[in-house]
Amino acid sequence: MIPAYQRIKNAILDNIHSGKWQAGNAISTEMALAAEFGVSRMTVNRALKELSEERVLERRQGSGTFVAQQQFNHTFVEVRNIAQDLKSANRDYQAQVVSKRTLTAAMLDDELRRKFGIDKDDDRIEHEVAVLYEVKIIHFADGQPIQFEERWVDAAKVPAFIDQDFSVVNTSDYLIAKSPLERGNYTIRALAAFDEVASALQIAPQSPTLVLRRQTYSAGQVVTFVKMWHAGDRYQFSGEL
């Protein structure tokens, strides 16, 4: 069962994402929200406090609670874009879309449920509505596969995502344009390639790969989760300290 404070947070975020409440707008009062959801003001206060800490809302003493004016722009979170990286290195870049599909809540594994905060008791499971979009793309440098991208996107936040031609449009560029990213986190691990990855990268099964896993947030919620697989002998990560 979803806790009452989380249901209130979800409802507020839905109103913001739908455009009902825009940046600078006042939201419903604590008293009105308590009456709407049949909970105590203490429960409402917890929801508003957490959204304020996540910089989604701004609470003004004596005035109420407002949708925060986001100070970030499209480059607030720097997201590495393999297309730009390869082109800047004067290498020929191409992308091949392997698959695109729409996922219902019942189709998700435990990892995706955790990443996107979808509980097993979520009402959307029973109604079989689209919750995530999935795309798989191979990125080529000079005709050689260099990255295999597996990406999942919140269908409610970016509804037109699945309709794009990602052999032409870069996934990261599109998401940043449609849902500016406020923060993110990532890990890089060395893993053996399973059959699908090995086939995409044209390497032997169980060959070493470098896998970058990244999730990024917009308005306090995960908007996309991606796994980027790289052949270990063709790719390296570098930077400056």
Side-chain angles (χ1 to χ4, degrees):
M1 193 71 177
I2 301 176
Y5 79 90
Q6 187 62 53
R7 287 192 290 110
I8 297 169
K9 287 181 66 175
N10 291 345
I12 291 171
L13 288 166
D14 286 345
N15 283 338
I16 293 172
H17 285 299
S18 70
K20 179 179 178 181
W21 292 340
Q22 299 185 12
N25 290 169
I27 72 166
S28 301
T29 65
E30 284 191 13
M31 188 175 298
L33 289 170
E36 179 182 350
F37 288 92
V39 298
S40 69
R41 290 186 63 177
M42 182 179 299
T43 300
V44 174
N45 186 273
R46 176 177 176 177
L48 299 185
K49 181 175 183 292
E50 289 191 6
L51 287 173
S52 297
E53 291 172 349
E54 292 164 5
R55 297 183 296 177
V56 176
L57 299 178
E58 179 183 356
R59 307 179 78 179
R60 302 175 191 169
Q61 188 68 33
S63 298
T65 303
F66 299 79
V67 179
Q69 295 280 358
Q70 302 296 340
Q71 298 302 311
F72 51 83
N73 59 27
H74 289 178
T75 58
F76 184 84
V77 174
E78 182 182 2
V79 175
R80 299 291 293 182
N81 180 330
I82 192 168
Q84 293 176 352
D85 286 348
L86 293 176
K87 289 174 183 176
S88 66
N90 294 317
R91 301 186 68 180
D92 181 59
Y93 168 77
Q94 290 181 309
Q96 175 189 330
V97 178
V98 176
S99 64
K100 295 197 297 185
R101 63 174 179 155
T102 298
L103 305 179
T104 64
M107 297 167 67
L108 306 186
D109 60 23
D110 289 340
E111 179 181 39
L112 290 176
R113 290 182 194 280
R114 289 194 305 272
K115 292 293 184 185
F116 288 89
I118 298 172
D119 191 90
K120 290 185 178 181
D121 296 325
D122 195 301
D123 291 341
R124 291 173 293 181
I125 294 178
E126 181 179 347
H127 295 93
E128 297 187 349
V129 299
V131 292
L132 299 182
Y133 295 135
E134 177 192 84
V135 296
K136 297 184 179 183
I137 304 167
I138 304 173
H139 300 273
F140 294 82
D142 299 330
Q144 184 178 53
I146 197 167
Q147 181 190 93
F148 177 51
E149 173 183 353
E150 298 181 286
R151 183 181 293 273
W152 297 269
V153 174
D154 189 310
K157 294 182 178 62
V158 197
F161 178 84
I162 201 67
D163 298 322
Q164 307 309 305
D165 180 358
F166 292 115
S167 65
V168 178
V169 178
N170 180 268
T171 50
S172 294
D173 284 349
Y174 181 80
L175 288 169
I176 291 172
K178 295 299 180 182
S179 188
L181 309 179
E182 63 186 23
R183 63 187 177 92
N185 52 65
Y186 69 90
T187 61
I188 299 173
R189 294 182 61 190
L191 293 175
F194 58 87
D195 289 350
E196 181 182 17
V197 172
S199 176
L201 293 176
Q202 298 176 18
I203 56 178
Q206 300 303 304
S207 293
T209 66
L210 291 173
V211 188
L212 186 150
R213 297 156 54 96
R214 182 177 68 214
Q215 59 191 31
T216 45
Y217 296 74
S218 181
Q221 291 188 321
V222 174
V223 69
T224 184
F225 170 58
V226 62
K227 297 179 184 178
M228 299 176 181
W229 298 78
H230 309 81
D233 60 349
R234 298 178 200 156
Y235 202 90
Q236 67 179 19
F237 293 91
S238 62
E240 296 182 2
L241 297 175

